[in-house]
Amino acid sequence: MESISEQTLVPADPDSTWRLITDPQYFQQWYAFGGAEIELVAGGAMVLRWDEHGSFPATVVAVEPGRRFAFRWLPEPGDLVEITLTSEGAGTLVRISESGALEDAATSAMAWRNSLSLLAKLAQA
């Protein structure tokens, strides 16, 4: 099993950051640019879309408001993505970890780094 982890400091409190991470209208602005459907309960369905890559289903694994959001890519046992939020000063430290049989760990890490950069910019808007 492989794992990657990326993090950034987002200039917003954990509650505001939580909304950016779990509300589909914001999620698609920093990660799933073609659209996102998120049923925000453990066991809930997710579909993330990219115009150039297509649609990817996932299942919500954990929902801890303001602290942790996790999902698993389908089909089972797909890679696990965990997003944790930790209050840090006036901001929130956001850490994204992905583990499993990563197809291309370097590309995944780069994609999460880019997405975290976009998330931080979105929080400033």
Side-chain angles (χ1 to χ4, degrees):
M1 175 157 56
E2 287 189 81
S3 67
I4 56 168
S5 183
E6 298 293 332
Q7 65 184 29
T8 195
L9 186 62
V10 172
D13 63 78
D15 288 338
S16 298
T17 303
W18 176 258
R19 240 183 337 275
L20 297 177
I21 287 171
T22 59
D23 185 319
Q25 79 175 24
Y26 295 118
F27 198 96
Q28 70 185 26
Q29 292 180 49
W30 65 272
Y31 186 62
F33 307 113
E37 296 171 29
I38 303 171
E39 186 183 353
L40 198 57
V41 295
M46 284 180 67
V47 178
L48 305 179
R49 295 181 189 84
W50 290 265
D51 294 339
E52 66 276 20
H53 302 298
S55 296
F56 295 86
T59 299
V60 175
V61 173
V63 177
E64 299 172 31
R67 293 187 28 228
R68 180 172 170 254
F69 175 59
F71 62 91
R72 186 175 297 279
W73 297 110
L74 294 175
E76 293 282 353
D79 296 343
L80 177 66
V81 176
E82 293 184 89
I83 304 172
T84 56
L85 289 70
T86 306
S87 182
E88 191 159 305
T92 303
L93 182 66
V94 177
R95 180 182 179 109
I96 298 178
S97 301
E98 186 170 5
S99 59
L102 301 177
E103 212 171 280
D104 183 342
T107 299
S108 292
M110 182 185 66
W112 286 122
R113 264 194 311 278
N114 292 342
S115 293
L116 283 168
S117 174
L118 292 172
L119 176 65
K121 287 178 185 165
L122 182 60
Q124 292 172 331

